Amino acid sequence: MINVRDDGFGTLDHQAPVVQRLQRQVQALKGTLNLSAIAGWGTEVAVALPLDAPRSSAVDVAHWKLATREFEVLKLLASGQGNRAIAAELRISENTVKFHIRNLFKKLDVHSRAEAAALAHSRGMMDAS
């Protein structure tokens, strides 16, 4: 469980883009997010993540329709590799890595590397060979 409280204006709500991004990341990890804002007092954000996220089978990721290379790029991205390292590992150009990452974002319906990595981890892709 993570709790963060600020002493701001207390105007942050669930519709804020930053909260929506955080919500997608938390959902990808099968967690929960609670937001409590009190005008003039600040905002508290509470996130609870399971210690062991439920694993999904390979069948669950099949609906993403990832090409073999996209799957390889996603696994390396989820392991924390940057574009240059991914390119070197797969012996492709950094521009090609960027191309694959853009396609991954569309197919996975994510907006950041962190969301893509969280989704890959939550689906057990890091355990696959």
Side-chain angles (χ1 to χ4, degrees):
M1 167 96 75
I2 301 165
N3 283 322
V4 179
R5 184 180 180 284
D6 70 9
D7 293 325
F9 299 112
T11 57
L12 192 61
D13 67 19
H14 286 284
Q15 301 307 313
V18 69
V19 175
Q20 290 180 346
R21 273 193 314 273
L22 179 59
Q23 181 66 36
R24 284 192 301 271
Q25 292 170 344
V26 169
Q27 285 175 339
L29 293 171
K30 307 292 187 221
T32 59
L33 179 138
N34 291 306
L35 183 73
S36 176
I38 301 173
W41 288 93
T43 303
E44 182 175 344
V45 178
V47 175
L49 300 174
L51 292 177
D52 293 316
R55 298 292 183 199
S56 300
S57 69
V59 175
D60 292 337
V61 299
H63 75 279
W64 291 337
K65 295 182 172 66
L66 299 182
T68 302
R69 186 60 88 183
E70 290 170 337
F71 185 83
E72 294 168 338
V73 169
L74 180 57
K75 282 189 72 168
L76 292 169
L77 180 151
S79 73
Q81 300 295 314
N83 289 359
R84 182 172 293 158
I86 294 171
E89 174 79 19
L90 299 178
R91 294 187 173 95
I92 58 178
S93 74
E94 285 187 64
N95 284 335
T96 301
V97 172
K98 291 176 188 177
F99 171 79
H100 287 308
I101 290 174
R102 276 193 304 272
N103 286 341
L104 284 169
F105 282 15
K106 289 177 190 172
K107 289 182 178 183
L108 303 180
D109 191 28
V110 298
H111 298 91
S112 71
R113 295 172 76 94
E115 283 182 86
L119 199 53
H121 282 280
S122 74
R123 296 300 190 266
M125 290 180 63
M126 300 313 295
D127 298 332
S129 305

